[in-house]
Amino acid sequence: MSNRSKGHLILEFLLYPSLLVLSMVILHFLAGTVKLDIDSSDAQRDFNTAIGTALLSGVFLFSIRVIQKQAAKNLYSMLNVIGKRNEFWLHRKKLSEQFAKHLIWSVAVSFIMPLLYMLSEGLLVRLHEKEVFIVAVGAIPFWLLLTLFVLQLITVNRYSWKILFGRDIDLVDKLKLYSRVMKMAMITLATIGLVLAVIPVFWVNQPIHFFDIATLIFLLSLIVSLLFAPFVYIAFIVRKVKYALAKDIDKRVDKLIKESVVSERSQEIEELLYIKEKYCN
């Protein structure tokens, strides 16, 4: 890929998330919900919340775009390994239909959560006030993208696992499939790490409350159970498959050496050793 293509790709991924973050921050400043002149704990909290939700919304949008693109590439590679490349668009259609459902659910959540917050804080009767209205509107893209991000994380990984298991294929192809699934899991874990890196923005010059810690622990537990634990399990399976493949290749090489003239089968032996070096190390 040329530098120009890479630059275009980076711009494509960063443009809309950056515009979203900028728009949300400008909206809060114009509405007066946050100010640069921070003179109280409440003002600091409002500032942190505005900047934090804007940054997280941008990160969610960026992560969703990365996950979707990588999921498509990963899906094509996996189908190519099992000889079902012609079914790519069928699988893409299924994923698109799932995404449409997720989008509907996310839109519903994006309206329900701000509404519940305003009801709990007694702000619904003040919705006509500019500051309250802007805060409510600003929360909609945040909750929409947060929900969509979580649903996409779960869906793309489970879809990869669905293709992975139940296939009667040789050990080399199994390793290829496992490597694709692990790559997708690593990408999703990287996006989660990006999200976690933004969260401390909410605590700048503010005490860290027990509720915040409990929520973070809950989210981390969810991530470990849904993504990290399966990733570790697959890594363990890959190790076993690599050992089985190396053992099988050693047996085949020994057999070729004993049953024939080495020079006649040298190319076949070299190919087997290349496979061992490539997939078993």
Side-chain angles (χ1 to χ4, degrees):
M1 185 181 291
S2 66
N3 291 332
R4 185 175 180 180
S5 299
K6 288 180 180 179
H8 178 74
L9 191 61
I10 293 171
L11 181 63
E12 179 187 346
F13 278 114
L14 292 178
L15 180 61
Y16 292 112
S18 300
L19 289 175
L20 176 63
V21 172
L22 188 62
S23 300
M24 291 180 70
V25 171
I26 290 174
L27 185 65
H28 280 289
F29 274 105
L30 292 178
T33 50
V34 293
K35 300 175 183 177
L36 289 175
D37 184 18
I38 301 172
D39 54 6
S40 67
S41 179
D42 288 342
Q44 181 70 65
R45 182 193 62 199
D46 293 342
F47 181 85
N48 293 352
T49 302
I51 299 300
T53 53
L55 286 173
L56 279 178
S57 297
V59 168
F60 289 142
L61 180 56
F62 170 79
S63 299
I64 290 167
R65 290 169 66 84
V66 169
I67 288 170
Q68 284 189 322
K69 188 172 184 64
Q70 292 300 321
K73 290 173 64 177
N74 211 47
L75 175 62
Y76 185 82
S77 296
M78 293 181 75
L79 292 173
N80 191 42
V81 169
I82 61 176
K84 294 188 177 181
R85 189 171 51 184
N86 59 321
E87 295 182 5
F88 175 72
W89 291 109
L90 177 63
H91 288 279
R92 283 285 286 170
K93 184 181 179 182
K94 289 181 181 178
L95 287 172
S96 297
E97 289 171 353
Q98 284 187 329
F99 182 80
K101 290 178 182 178
H102 292 168
L103 188 58
I104 293 171
W105 297 342
S106 300
V107 169
V109 170
S110 71
F111 282 95
I112 290 170
M113 293 306 295
L115 183 62
L116 290 176
Y117 172 77
M118 287 189 289
L119 284 171
S120 65
E121 296 293 326
L123 295 173
L124 200 58
V125 294
R126 296 174 52 200
L127 190 59
H128 62 281
E129 297 179 15
K130 183 176 68 172
E131 292 83 359
V132 177
F133 180 77
I134 292 298
V135 169
V137 170
I140 291 173
F142 170 76
W143 283 107
L144 188 154
L145 292 167
L146 168 60
T147 308
L148 193 58
F149 171 68
V150 173
L151 291 172
Q152 285 293 289
L153 278 182
I154 297 171
T155 299
V156 297
N157 282 282
R158 285 190 173 180
Y159 206 88
S160 296
W161 299 335
K162 183 179 177 181
I163 295 174
L164 173 63
F165 295 111
R167 302 287 174 182
D168 186 19
I169 53 178
D170 62 42
L171 293 176
V172 173
D173 286 341
K174 274 188 179 180
L175 283 177
K176 289 178 182 178
L177 289 182
Y178 280 123
S179 68
R180 301 294 189 278
V181 172
M182 289 183 69
K183 182 180 179 181
M184 193 68 238
M186 289 176 68
I187 289 169
T188 53
L189 287 171
T191 60
I192 291 170
L194 191 59
V195 170
L196 293 176
V198 176
I199 289 178
V201 170
F202 291 93
W203 301 327
V204 174
N205 296 327
Q206 288 286 296
I208 302 175
H209 300 289
F210 173 77
F211 178 78
D212 296 335
I213 298 297
T215 302
L216 193 58
I217 291 174
F218 171 75
L219 291 174
L220 288 173
S221 301
L222 201 63
I223 291 165
V224 168
S225 61
L226 291 177
L227 292 175
F228 190 71
F231 176 80
V232 173
Y233 171 73
I234 290 173
F236 174 73
I237 295 296
V238 166
R239 187 176 178 183
K240 289 179 66 176
V241 174
K242 282 184 175 182
Y243 176 78
L245 177 62
K247 198 171 181 180
D248 179 63
I249 289 174
D250 288 340
K251 285 183 179 179
R252 291 168 65 183
V253 169
D254 288 342
K255 187 177 179 181
L256 288 172
I257 292 173
K258 290 176 181 178
E259 295 181 355
S260 62
V261 180
V262 176
S263 59
E264 294 177 356
R265 296 296 184 94
S266 61
Q267 185 176 353
E268 189 174 349
I269 293 172
E270 286 177 7
E271 288 176 356
L272 287 171
L273 293 176
Y274 171 76
I275 292 172
K276 182 180 178 180
E277 184 181 358
K278 183 176 180 180
Y279 294 105
C280 301
N281 292 335

